[in-house]
């Protein structure tokens, strides 16, 4: 056990977003930077081993579902739940491209190895190839029957491979824009795929708990591992192609493929491991759970010796099988597979470019950034540039010089896991331009959970010159400013300082808990209307928000009585200064409009007639009239908020559009 702890350890764990994390990506070249995307519609950038966010990139209007670095780690692309892709230049800290065309959530993205192209896969079952310079879709590859989980370019940039929930993996040729082969051996959703960095070999992983290796010349199955205990979440080849690393929910294994064998296995409780990178003889793995991100390190210094030892033992087994025992009359048959001759290698040299002028940076044509590509634009672009030319390099995206060797991360001094406070690590000698200039004492900004609502990307650009005696934003975040000004405080004085506001906060929380227990008693008896009425009568917005968050998850509990009780107070919630209160109120309003707007509209259009007595209909009409009146008040209040910029403005505009169901 002690040996394993030295070979693998948790480097850090931190809160990455104010809401659930949905994706992350580790820098593929350095392994020292990471980006995360969340349901808060933001992309945050981190230095691995450091607890503070470097950049927060805003722009998406729906949750971010997939993020990816380019090979130079100076560009980041993020795909959202709405199907929109945005590319940020990290050196300029701004959006340089917005690509639209997918009709559902983005689940896979990859940069072309040397051209200005991007591939994306979506739950709409389509794979799209984009021209980054012209912001257009060159070709749409159709054939999957379920959502796509992963896309990857081949090392030579001529093929795209896609993995889908339909359990298939498809290989596409970019020259012809057609399907080359369909790999169908998996029995559950295909989760990820990787090309061997040198040979014509493809590895595919699936929720059926297996990894399969395929020869890309014959398209035949080379080998398949024995099923693991959980589905495979991510795989990656060693940079030199020595082995394949697979990450499942509770383990990391190292495999060879001819013959298939497991060189090593480590038990790691990293859960939803989302990405892995190899740097300085270490594997850096990152996982996420709810709002937290964890980073793990596995020492690979023993890998080459382990492989050599295993191959020597394998050779001895084959020799023994051939020679046999002295009493045998003929040699026993060899059951171990003989390694096939070397496969064809990928040509990773960049083909000749047709560009007449070399460009050191990606030029951005003078096109408005927010314009979107349509199918007509896609067709025009396809005519301008022939499909057989799409893999040719127009200009290299990687603008950083070759990186130097980075110092490896050091294991924690004690066997206990590291939480929140990562071990001290040497500053990396070279990460990339955008991290090389970051001074952790001056430029680290507070974590996402400490930032006020509405903080935009411009807040991370160089700050204005402060007024006289005005502390700058970065000085305010300086770690030295957080140190005690009087380190010689006695223990009693320190305790008094720490507990100064504890009494009042504890009283507030105790009162809130008491009120929630009162509401819970009615809730437990199944009297939802009384529980809502009690919560409303308490006149405490915090209690109301807690109740709304539960009701939003249980839509079957809503009826016209509950709507009529809550609507008068939702107008106050969406005017609150607290973002979480506004979000709760907006969610409840959209839920009411989605489920009850047709009923309210039909009843208001046909009031009960005076002939006869229909008490049920009259009662329903009165409830609908009350709800309609409060909804109109809320609609009028929203009309003055739709001009607000930023995330909250988008939320108010989205609510205003939802009110069209009442018209």
């Amino acid at each position: 056990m002690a040996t394993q702890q030295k070979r693998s350890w948790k480097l850090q764990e931190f809160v990455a977003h104010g809401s659930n994390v949905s994706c992350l990506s580790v820098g593929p070249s350095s392994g020292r930077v990471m980006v995360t995307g969340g349901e808060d519609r933001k992309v945050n950038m981190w230095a691995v081993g450091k607890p503070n966010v470097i950049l927060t990139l805003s722009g998406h209007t729906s949750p971010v579902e997939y993020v990816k670095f380019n090979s130079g780690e100076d560009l980041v692309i993020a795909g959202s739940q709405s199907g929109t892709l945005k590319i940020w230049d990290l050196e300029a800290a701004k959006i340089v491209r917005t690509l639209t065309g997918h009709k559902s959530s983005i689940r896979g993205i990859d940069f072309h190895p040397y051209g200005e192209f991007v591939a994306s896969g979506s739950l709409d079952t389509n794979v799209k190839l984009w021209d980054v310079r012209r912001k257009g879709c060159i070709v749409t590859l159709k054939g999957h029957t379920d959502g796509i989980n992963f896309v990857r370019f081949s090392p030579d940039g001529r093929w795209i491979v896609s993995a889908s929930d339909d359990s298939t993996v498809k290989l596409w040729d970019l020259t012809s824009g057609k399907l080359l082969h369909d790999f169908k051996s998996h029995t559950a959703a295909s989760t990820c795929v990787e090309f061997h960095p040198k040979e014509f070999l493809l590895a595919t992983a699936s929720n059926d708990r297996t990894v399969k290796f395929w020869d890309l010349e014959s398209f035949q199955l080379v080998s398949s591992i024995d099923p693991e205990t959980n589905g495979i979440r991510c795989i990656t080849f060693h940079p030199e192609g020595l082995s394949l690393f697979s990450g499942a929910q509770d383990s990391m294994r190292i495999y060879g493929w001819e013959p298939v064998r497991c060189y090593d296995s480590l038990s790691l409780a990293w859960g939803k491991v989302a990405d892995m990178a190899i740097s300085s003889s270490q594997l850096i793995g990152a996982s996420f759970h709810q709002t937290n991100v964890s980073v793990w390190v596995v020492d690979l210094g023993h890998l080459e010796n382990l492989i050599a030892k295993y191959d020597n033992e394998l050779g001895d087994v084959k020799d023994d099988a051939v020679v046999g025992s002295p009493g045998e009359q003929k040699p026993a048959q060899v059951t171990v597979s003989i390694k096939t001759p070397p496969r064809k290698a990928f040509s990773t040299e960049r083909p000749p470019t047709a560009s007449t002028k070399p460009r050191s940076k990606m030029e951005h044509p003078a096109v408005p950034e927010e314009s979107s590509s349509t199918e007509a634009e896609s067709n025009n672009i396809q005519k301008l540039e022939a499909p057989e030319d799409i893999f040719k390099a127009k200009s290299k995206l990687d603008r950083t010089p070759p990186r130097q060797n980075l110092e490896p991360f050091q294991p924690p001094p004690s066997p206990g896991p590291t939480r929140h406070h990562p071990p001290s690590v040497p500053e990396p000698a070279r990460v990339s331009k955008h991290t090389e200039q970051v001074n952790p004492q001056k430029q680290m900004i507070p974590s996402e959970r400490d930032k006020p609502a509405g903080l935009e990307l411009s807040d991370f650009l160089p700050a204005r010159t402060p007024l006289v005696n005005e502390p700058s934003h970065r000085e305010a975040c300086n770690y030295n400013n957080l140190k005690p000004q009087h380190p010689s405080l006695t223990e009693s004085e320190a305790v008094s300082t720490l507990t100064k506001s504890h009494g009042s906060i504890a009283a507030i929380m105790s009162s809130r808990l008491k009120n929630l227990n009162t509401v819970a008693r009615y809730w437990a008896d199944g009297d939802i209307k009384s529980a809502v009425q009690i919560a409303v009568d308490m006149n405490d917005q915090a209690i109301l928000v807690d109740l709304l968050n539960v009701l939003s998850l249980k839509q079957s509990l809503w009826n016209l009585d509950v709507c009529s009780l809550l609507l008068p107070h939702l107008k106050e919630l969406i005017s609150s200064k607290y973002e979480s209160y506004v979000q709760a109120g907006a969610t409840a309003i959209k839920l009411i409009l989605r489920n009850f707007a047709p009923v309210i509209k039909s009843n208001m259009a046909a009031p009960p007639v005076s002939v006869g007595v229909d008490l049920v209909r009259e009662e329903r009409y009165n409830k609908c009239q009350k709800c309609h009146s409060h909804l109109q008040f809320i609609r009028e209040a929203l009309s003055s908020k739709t001009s607000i910029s930023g995330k909250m403005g988008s939320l108010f505009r989205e609510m205003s559009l939802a009110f069209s169901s009442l018209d």
Side-chain angles (χ1 to χ4, degrees), residues 116-117 129-134 136-139 354 378-394:
E116 293 182 5
F117 304 98
L129 181 65
W130 306 87
D131 186 325
V132 174
R133 298 166 303 158
R134 298 176 179 176
C137 176
I138 297 174
V139 63
S378 301
N379 295 335
N380 291 336
I381 292 170
Q382 196 164 1
K383 293 177 182 178
L384 291 170
E385 187 160 4
E388 59 268 18
D389 294 332
I390 61 177
F391 53 82
K392 292 183 179 179
K394 300 302 185 290

Side-chain angles (χ1 to χ4, degrees), residues 599-630:
V599 176
I600 296 173
K601 183 178 178 181
S602 62
N603 276 271
M604 296 305 297
V609 295
S610 58
V611 179
V613 177
D614 190 344
L615 296 179
V616 175
R617 185 177 180 184
E618 289 182 1
E619 184 178 1
R620 182 170 64 250
Y621 174 80
N622 291 334
K623 293 175 183 176
C624 290
Q625 188 180 37
K626 186 176 180 181
C627 291
H628 185 269
S629 175
H630 289 302

